[in-house]
Amino acid sequence: MNDPLLRVEQLHVSREGVPILQGVNLQAQAGEITGVLGRNGAGKSTLAYALMGLPAYAPSKGCIRFAGEDITDWSITERAQGGLTLAWQHPARYEGITVRDYLKLSASGAGEAELTESLELVQLAPSYLDRLVDKALSGGERKRIELASVYLMHPKLAILDEPDSGVDLLALGDILSLFRRLAQEGSGVLIITHREDVASQCHRSYLMCRGHIILEGSAEAVKRYFLSQCEPCGDNAPEMSGEVAKRV
């Protein structure tokens, strides 16, 4: 196997003195879709924010290596310039500009055909290019437009935090096809999700519980364990041992 595009080693992140991530290790390859599956409260979004370099989620210990570089101390801007991007669980609100102009923020040199194709990949008509990004758009439409913008970036690694949030089931298959298209074109894709049907579309998956990676392996094997063994995160969840994740 080639050297991983992303390698996370013993990552620790705390918020207001409370440990959230505790020794997280994971890898993601270029040209593959990697899943991080876990119940709500497992620490998945914290992982996404730490990988993207949000200052409030700076690690206290550990290392993030991306495309052969140690980026642990890089800013958000430096990571974005290096080819790392994050699609947020709740899309950012850019009000008062057209969808066309919003997409061109991601790909200033994109022509009309590329913009149209990006919308069609998320099942939106070309007429959306002339619509304003405003309150008239539903949450699901905003999400699809954000994913179209990620595709236009052609990032080295796309981190997708709950990419199905606000998207109806009929559109989910099309969005998963978009992720496969990104991978086929050489990008790495890291999907962070609480839904086993989304994680099952990945090449490999990790299972997160209470800030620990407890299992890694094939998407199908991790899905089976998640459905049969995992309980909701909370105060009564079992304590993690800190051991190396099991492989299945």
Side-chain angles (χ1 to χ4, degrees):
M1 183 178 290
N2 297 330
D3 289 338
L5 176 63
L6 175 74
R7 185 194 299 273
V8 179
E9 299 175 338
Q10 285 298 309
L11 198 68
H12 290 254
V13 174
S14 297
R15 291 277 287 158
E16 299 178 351
V18 178
I20 306 297
L21 302 183
Q22 303 179 65
V24 167
N25 296 286
L26 63 82
Q27 299 180 10
Q29 297 282 347
E32 290 188 0
I33 304 174
T34 303
V36 177
L37 176 64
R39 301 289 188 188
N40 292 332
K44 305 185 302 301
S45 290
T46 294
L47 173 63
Y49 302 157
L51 294 178
M52 196 63 223
L54 273 69
Y57 295 84
S60 57
K61 289 175 58 179
C63 178
I64 303 171
R65 298 190 63 83
F66 175 62
E69 300 276 354
D70 183 346
I71 68 166
T72 311
D73 297 323
W74 285 19
S75 68
I76 296 175
T77 300
E78 289 170 325
R79 296 181 198 211
Q81 290 173 340
L84 186 64
T85 192
L86 168 63
W88 309 85
Q89 180 176 354
H90 302 290
R93 290 184 175 271
Y94 289 87
E95 303 288 350
I97 64 172
T98 65
V99 171
R100 177 184 286 101
D101 289 339
Y102 172 77
L103 293 177
K104 285 190 172 183
L105 292 173
S106 302
S108 58
E112 198 75 3
E114 292 172 277
L115 299 177
T116 297
E117 179 190 33
S118 72
L119 288 183
E120 290 175 341
L121 287 170
V122 293
Q123 295 298 300
L124 291 178
S127 60
Y128 272 80
L129 288 172
D130 296 314
R131 292 187 60 174
L132 289 177
V133 181
D134 58 19
K135 295 178 181 178
L137 292 177
S138 70
E141 288 169 330
R142 286 176 180 271
K143 189 72 174 184
R144 295 194 212 184
I145 290 167
E146 183 188 35
L147 293 174
S149 75
V150 169
Y151 174 75
L152 285 169
M153 291 178 194
H154 299 293
K156 290 180 182 177
L157 178 67
I159 303 169
L160 308 168
D161 185 18
E162 302 288 359
D164 57 295
S165 177
V167 175
D168 59 69
L169 290 175
L170 293 175
L172 184 57
D174 298 308
I175 288 174
L176 291 170
S177 295
L178 174 69
F179 304 155
R180 288 191 286 270
R181 174 96 170 245
L182 272 171
Q184 289 166 1
E185 294 179 359
S187 296
V189 179
L190 182 65
I191 297 179
I192 293 174
T193 182
H194 69 281
R195 289 181 52 165
E196 71 280 354
D197 54 343
V198 174
S200 68
Q201 302 299 311
C202 301
H203 293 93
R204 289 185 64 76
S205 287
Y206 293 86
L207 183 59
M208 179 175 277
C209 180
R210 297 192 68 169
H212 296 261
I213 297 293
I214 63 171
L215 194 70
E216 63 173 286
S218 71
E220 188 58 34
V222 170
K223 173 186 172 181
R224 287 198 302 270
Y225 185 95
F226 176 78
L227 290 173
S228 64
Q229 302 293 327
C230 283
E231 298 178 356
C233 294
D235 293 338
N236 295 324
E239 291 295 329
M240 299 292 100
S241 66
E243 298 175 353
V244 175
K246 296 179 181 178
R247 293 176 174 85
V248 291

